[in-house]
Amino acid sequence: MRQILVAGNWKLNGSLDSIKTLVSGITAGEGDAGNTRIAVCPPFVYIPLVAELLAGSKVAWGSQDISDQDTGAFTGEVAGAMLGEFGCTYAIVGHSERRSLYAEDDDFTARKFAAARRTGLTPILCVGESLGEREQGVTEQVVARQLDAVIALEGIGAIGECVLAYEPVWAIGTGKTASPQQAQDVHAFIRGKLAGLDQAVADKVQILYGGSVKGANAAELFAMPDIDGGLIGGASLDAGEFLAICKAGG
Ligand code: PGA
């Protein structure tokens, strides 16, 4: 039985005040989340604050991105070792906003995935198709291509030590959630593809669903056999809503 993970991706949101309020709301209710593993991914600059606020809590934290480089003349970048110094457990890589708005391709994403692993972080690797790709019927090819770039660089074993997130781009921030069955179909495809390479990796890897998950729809998504939690954007900015999602996994 894989543990449910609910990870909040705060994106470009928050301030010192709002983050203090959000974290105290989450820690006040984390006890009701049963066995669900909870994580939050703040903007880089707030990670030290969040690390301090979460000391003693069971909520983990991570980054929304990571440099593919470890050190040197790379203006604006943040390395995995730096994130590790502030207690990060996870690093999101390949989020569709990075891929589409910042032109990060499959190979670059794979190098970021490798950087996370070599600095002791667990990558949360995002994959997913756009609306146009779904309408053309190429969802599986797109997701397979995104996974293959990482497997080619890091090997199938590395997938067993990361978290995957299936996030259909058309469902992110749009209020349009994939139906539990639509999401399950892609999750089952991903697990099946991995099983063809290594059954143990396929059985072990947590595959999260992301895209307009809320308290009201989380339970039916998490009840699907291949959905092992959620990557939550908008709803992770509200402690009550985020905790309702966490509870749905518990
Ligand atoms: P959303 O974002 O929950 O706001 O749709 C999900 C994500 O981008 O991870």
Side-chain angles (χ1 to χ4, degrees), residues 9 11 95 167 171-173 211-213 231-234:
N9 172 9
K11 306 190 181 183
H95 189 278
E167 300 205 302
I172 295 178
S212 300
V213 179
L231 184 55
I232 318 300

Side-chain angles (χ1 to χ4, degrees), residues 41-61:
C41 298
F44 285 128
V45 289
Y46 295 119
I47 287 174
L49 171 68
V50 167
E52 199 183 303
L53 296 172
L54 286 176
S57 139
K58 69 166 192 164
V59 178
W61 58 94

Side-chain angles (χ1 to χ4, degrees), residues 4-8 165 167 207-210 213 222 227-232 242 245:
I4 295 282
L5 167 65
V6 174
E167 300 205 302
I207 310 178
L208 313 184
Y209 167 77
V213 179
F222 299 168
I227 300 182
D228 309 313
L231 184 55
I232 318 300
F242 186 60
I245 296 168

Side-chain angles (χ1 to χ4, degrees), residues 168-191:
V169 178
W170 48 273
I172 295 178
T174 59
K176 283 187 203 156
T177 322
S179 71
Q181 192 57 51
Q182 274 176 323
Q184 165 61 24
D185 288 348
V186 181
H187 284 233
F189 165 74
I190 292 171
R191 210 178 295 285

Side-chain angles (χ1 to χ4, degrees), residues 36-240:
T36 304
R37 169 103 165 131
I38 307 172
V40 294
C41 298
F44 285 128
V45 289
Y46 295 119
I47 287 174
L49 171 68
V50 167
E52 199 183 303
L53 296 172
L54 286 176
S57 139
K58 69 166 192 164
V59 178
W61 58 94
S63 63
Q64 300 173 17
D65 190 17
I66 182 173
S67 180
D68 63 321
Q69 302 292 328
D70 292 335
T71 187
F74 301 101
T75 301
E77 293 291 277
V78 177
M82 298 172 180
L83 298 168
E85 285 199 301
F86 289 93
C88 286
T89 299
Y90 298 101
I92 298 173
V93 299
H95 189 278
S96 68
E97 286 150 18
R98 300 300 320 169
R99 292 179 188 266
S100 66
L101 303 176
Y102 299 95
E104 298 189 3
D105 64 12
D106 294 338
D107 291 338
F108 191 44
T109 299
R111 291 202 299 278
K112 290 188 170 201
F113 180 101
R117 275 174 44 79
R118 72 174 171 265
T119 52
L121 302 177
T122 300
I124 300 177
L125 171 66
C126 302
V127 298
E129 83 288 1
S130 66
L131 182 59
E133 288 163 338
R134 175 158 284 260
E135 285 170 353
Q136 286 162 41
V138 295
T139 296
E140 293 185 356
Q141 287 95 312
V142 169
V143 168
R145 190 200 72 221
Q146 292 169 333
L147 286 171
D148 282 339
V150 172
I151 296 169
L153 187 68
E154 287 285 276
I156 181 67
I159 301 293
E161 292 163 7
C162 81
V163 175
L164 298 178
Y166 167 60
E167 300 205 302
V169 178
W170 48 273
I172 295 178
T174 59
K176 283 187 203 156
T177 322
S179 71
Q181 192 57 51
Q182 274 176 323
Q184 165 61 24
D185 288 348
V186 181
H187 284 233
F189 165 74
I190 292 171
R191 210 178 295 285
K193 172 183 165 55
L194 299 176
L197 299 167
D198 187 322
Q199 185 66 52
V201 165
D203 290 341
K204 178 179 169 199
V205 68
Q206 288 168 311
I207 310 178
L208 313 184
Y209 167 77
S212 300
V213 179
K214 302 178 204 60
N217 59 23
E220 55 179 5
L221 287 160
F222 299 168
M224 301 310 276
D226 290 299
I227 300 182
D228 309 313
L231 184 55
I232 318 300
S236 72
L237 298 170
D238 180 289

